[in-house]
């Protein structure tokens, strides 16, 4: 009777634990403290070299492809200034142009950033996601061994939507830029070749605003992509055995390891069904800050470089843009 009572109390405790709400996700400060405790200040710059390489290649190919597409579209349509829908389509196509090169780099970079160097690597083993030592080449070797070439294109389906983000961002930026320059030039300003460039502050603000709008539109997909990539990292042999054991106890089944939940849509669908907007936009604050700062600085520098090139190559003496 005592054992039955103990069993009953354990069952009641398990039922209460199962019915209790999950613990709230850690905040930004908690995550910062965890990263610092794992690896100190260098942990915040994990994979920075790979990330910088990816960003440089991505932006270089994007702007080169967009310039070619824009010139071709202007010649075909016979219009010097393209419409907003046309700019969106061209930006979308330009974003896809660099994906075959930059997506594998992104997967390697995210894997290096999310692994914990203090756990599993000291003894020469691999970390929880099967990524061993050896830096970049160790990560590449581990991904090839576990998933093959397809492992470098994990979450590719998400970019059907995610490629809209830079298209939306640069279209909004360009439309705001043209509207501001027209307003500042006044009647006949364009004919008098007045102020065709934004000031440093204006480029910074418009770049941040355009990035904020585009990020808010597609952030649920950004979150789903990251969760999908993290699932792949956590799906080592022990995790797989535990998942199969849990499914067996519940009477369910799973044919293979790449079920619906392993796709971006499979990750996003339950969040959409729950209707929890807070879950869809969890972590949007740091992403907004990072993206707005990065985009604002990039477009600010781009405006300055464009002005310098016109002065050096075309010999134009353009007046300084006022703030």
């Amino acid at each position: 009777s005592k054992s039955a009572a103990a069993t009953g109390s354990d069952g009641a405790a398990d039922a209460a634990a199962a019915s209790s709400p999950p613990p709230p996700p850690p905040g930004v400060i908690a995550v910062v403290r965890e990263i610092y405790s794992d690896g100190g200040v260098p942990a915040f710059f994990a994979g920075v070299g790979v990330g910088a390489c990816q960003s440089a290649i991505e932006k270089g190919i994007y702007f080169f492809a967009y310039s070619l597409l824009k010139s071709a579209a202007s010649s075909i349509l016979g219009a010097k200034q393209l419409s907003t829908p046309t700019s969106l389509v061209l930006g979308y196509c330009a974003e896809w142009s660099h994906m075959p090169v930059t997506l594998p780099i992104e997967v390697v970079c995210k894997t290096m950033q999310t692994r914990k160097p203090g756990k599993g690597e000291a003894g020469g083993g691999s970390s929880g996601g099967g990524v061993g030592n050896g830096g970049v080449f160790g990560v590449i070797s581990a991904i090839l061994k576990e998933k093959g070439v397809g492992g470098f294109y994990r979450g590719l389906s998400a970019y059907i939507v995610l490629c809209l983000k830079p298209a939306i961002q640069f279209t909004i930026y360009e439309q705001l830029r043209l509207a501001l320059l027209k307003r500042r030039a006044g009647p006949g300003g364009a004919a008098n070749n007045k102020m065709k460039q934004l000031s440093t502050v204006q480029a910074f603000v418009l770049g941040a605003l355009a990035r904020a709008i585009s990020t808010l539109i597609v952030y649920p997909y950004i979150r789903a992509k990251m969760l999908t990539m993290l699932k792949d990292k956590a799906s080592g042999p022990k995790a797989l055995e535990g998942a199969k054991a849990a499914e067996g106890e519940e009477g369910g089944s799973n044919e293979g390891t790449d079920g619906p939940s392993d796709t971006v849509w499979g990750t996003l669908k339950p969040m959409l069904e729950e209707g929890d907007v807070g879950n869809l936009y969890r972590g949007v604050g740091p992403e907004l800050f990072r993206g707005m700062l990065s985009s604002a600085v990039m477009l600010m520098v781009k405006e300055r470089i464009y002005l310098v090139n016109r002065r050096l190559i075309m010999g134009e003496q353009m007046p300084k843009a006022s703030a």
Side-chain angles (χ1 to χ4, degrees):
S1 60
K2 290 183 178 180
S3 61
T7 303
S9 63
D10 291 342
D14 293 340
S19 61
S20 61
V28 176
I29 302 300
V31 173
V32 169
R33 288 176 177 173
E34 181 182 356
I35 295 174
Y36 183 79
S37 63
D38 285 339
V41 174
F44 292 98
F45 297 91
V48 65
V50 181
C53 177
Q54 176 211 348
S55 181
I57 295 174
E58 176 182 322
K59 297 301 186 294
I61 296 178
Y62 176 89
F63 284 116
F64 179 74
Y66 184 79
S67 298
L68 292 179
L69 292 172
K70 185 177 180 180
S71 298
S74 298
S75 300
I76 295 173
L77 299 176
K80 186 177 181 180
Q81 189 171 328
L82 301 177
S83 64
T84 300
T86 303
S87 297
L88 281 172
V89 173
L90 295 183
Y92 186 78
C93 295
E95 182 67 9
W96 273 106
S97 66
H98 68 75
M99 294 304 300
V101 179
T102 58
L103 186 55
I105 302 176
E106 179 182 359
V107 171
V108 172
C109 181
K110 291 296 188 294
T111 304
M112 295 180 67
Q113 290 173 341
T114 55
R115 67 175 179 173
K116 295 185 177 181
K119 297 183 180 181
E121 292 187 0
S126 61
S127 60
V131 179
N133 299 322
V136 175
F137 294 105
V139 172
I140 294 174
S141 176
I143 294 174
L144 284 173
K145 183 178 179 181
E146 293 177 10
K147 294 289 184 179
V149 177
F152 292 104
Y153 295 92
R154 182 75 171 173
L156 179 63
S157 59
Y159 284 93
I160 297 174
V161 174
L162 289 180
C163 281
L164 286 171
K165 186 177 76 169
I168 295 172
Q169 173 188 338
F170 292 118
T171 299
I172 292 175
Y173 175 80
E174 190 63 22
Q175 295 301 317
L176 291 175
R177 175 181 176 274
L178 291 174
L180 182 60
L181 290 177
K182 286 181 180 179
R183 180 180 177 182
R184 192 171 63 186
N192 294 329
N193 197 31
K194 288 184 180 179
M195 303 304 296
K196 292 185 179 180
Q197 289 302 120
L198 297 177
S199 69
T200 301
V201 175
Q202 289 170 339
F204 186 91
V205 173
L206 294 187
L209 178 61
R211 180 57 177 261
I213 296 173
S214 62
T215 298
L216 290 174
I217 292 174
V218 302
Y219 184 77
Y221 259 81
I222 296 175
R223 176 163 160 73
K225 178 179 73 80
M226 284 299 302
L227 290 175
T228 302
M229 295 175 69
L230 289 175
K231 281 181 183 179
D232 183 41
K233 178 179 180 295
S235 61
K238 292 183 179 179
L240 182 59
E241 291 174 4
K244 288 182 177 179
E247 290 168 359
E249 291 174 0
E250 295 173 359
S253 62
N254 185 17
E255 298 296 334
T257 60
D258 293 327
S261 62
D262 292 327
T263 64
V264 174
W265 174 245
T267 302
L268 184 62
K269 186 178 179 181
M271 294 190 289
L272 292 173
E273 291 175 346
E274 292 173 2
D276 187 358
V277 179
N279 191 24
L280 287 173
Y281 284 90
R282 183 176 298 167
V284 69
E287 174 64 21
L288 269 177
F289 178 78
R290 182 198 67 82
M292 290 172 65
L293 182 61
S294 171
S295 178
V297 172
M298 178 191 70
L299 291 172
M300 177 182 69
V301 174
K302 177 178 176 291
E303 289 288 333
R304 296 299 95 191
I305 292 177
Y306 179 73
L307 178 60
V308 171
N309 286 339
R310 292 190 64 170
R311 287 177 173 175
L312 293 177
I313 298 175
M314 303 177 66
E316 293 186 4
Q317 294 295 326
M318 300 182 67
K320 292 184 178 180
S322 60

